[in-house]
Amino acid sequence: MIRALGALVLLLAVAFGVQTWRVGVYKLALQQTATAKVKVERDAAKAATAASEAARASERAQADRLADIGRQYEQDRANAQAEHDRIVRDLRAGAVRLRAWWDCPAAAVPGADAGAGSRDDAAELRRASAARIVGIADECDAHVRAAQAVILDDRKP
C-alpha cells in the first residue's frame, strides 16, 4: 500500500508539474498576445496620426494655392478696372479712336438734330459704352482665369 500511495503521490506530482508547465505556457502566450496587440495599436495610432498630419498639410497647401488664385483674381480685376479707366481716358483725349461701326452719323438718322452738342454727347456715350464693354470683358476674363485655376488646382494629383 505504501508503494501504491507513493505511486499516487508521484503521479500527482507529475500531473501538478505538467499543469504548472501548461499554465506557464498559457501565461506566456497571453503576454505575447498582449504585447503584439499593444504594438499593433501603437502602429495604428502612429499611422492615423501620420494620415491626419498629411491631410492637414494637404488642406493647408490647397488653401494656400486657392489664396494665391484669389489674390491673382483680385489683381486681374484691379487691372481690368485700370484698363477701363485708361481706355476712357484715351478715348476722351483722342489717343484711341473707335472703329467706324461705332460712329453714328447724325445725318443718317431722319429727324436727328445736327447740332454739335448732340454729336459730342453721342460720341461721349459711345466712348463710355465702348470702355464699359472692354472693362466688362476684362473682368469676365479675370473670372474665367480664376475659375480655370481653381479647377486645374483641384484636379492635380
Side-chain angles (χ1 to χ4, degrees):
M1 170 139 215
I2 291 201
R3 273 189 187 176
L5 191 58
L8 181 63
V9 169
L10 182 64
L11 183 63
L12 286 174
V14 170
F16 181 74
V18 168
Q19 186 62 22
T20 303
W21 174 77
R22 285 181 58 208
V23 168
V25 169
Y26 179 73
K27 284 182 180 179
L28 181 63
L30 281 177
Q31 185 180 19
Q32 289 173 344
T33 302
T35 302
K37 179 182 175 190
V38 167
K39 183 180 178 195
V40 167
E41 288 173 350
R42 184 185 65 228
D43 291 346
K46 284 182 182 179
T49 301
S52 176
E53 289 173 0
R56 274 191 241 115
S58 175
E59 287 172 357
R60 279 191 298 271
Q62 184 180 23
D64 291 343
R65 288 190 307 269
L66 290 177
D68 290 342
I69 291 168
R71 279 190 289 279
Q72 183 62 46
Y73 167 71
E74 291 301 326
Q75 182 62 43
D76 289 348
R77 282 190 61 208
N79 292 345
Q81 183 61 43
E83 178 73 8
H84 170 267
D85 295 344
R86 184 191 64 78
I87 290 172
V88 168
R89 189 174 50 251
D90 289 349
L91 283 169
R92 286 183 179 148
V96 174
R97 292 177 39 118
L98 297 176
R99 293 184 185 235
W101 62 70
W102 278 90
D103 289 336
C104 181
V109 179
D113 184 13
S118 66
R119 274 187 268 139
D120 289 342
D121 292 342
E124 178 59 30
L125 283 174
R126 286 192 300 276
R127 286 186 203 109
S129 295
R132 275 194 308 275
I133 290 169
V134 170
I136 290 168
D138 287 343
E139 190 169 338
C140 288
D141 287 343
H143 281 288
V144 168
R145 280 192 299 274
Q148 288 173 337
V150 168
I151 291 169
L152 289 174
D153 182 69
D154 187 51
R155 291 185 180 173
K156 282 183 183 177

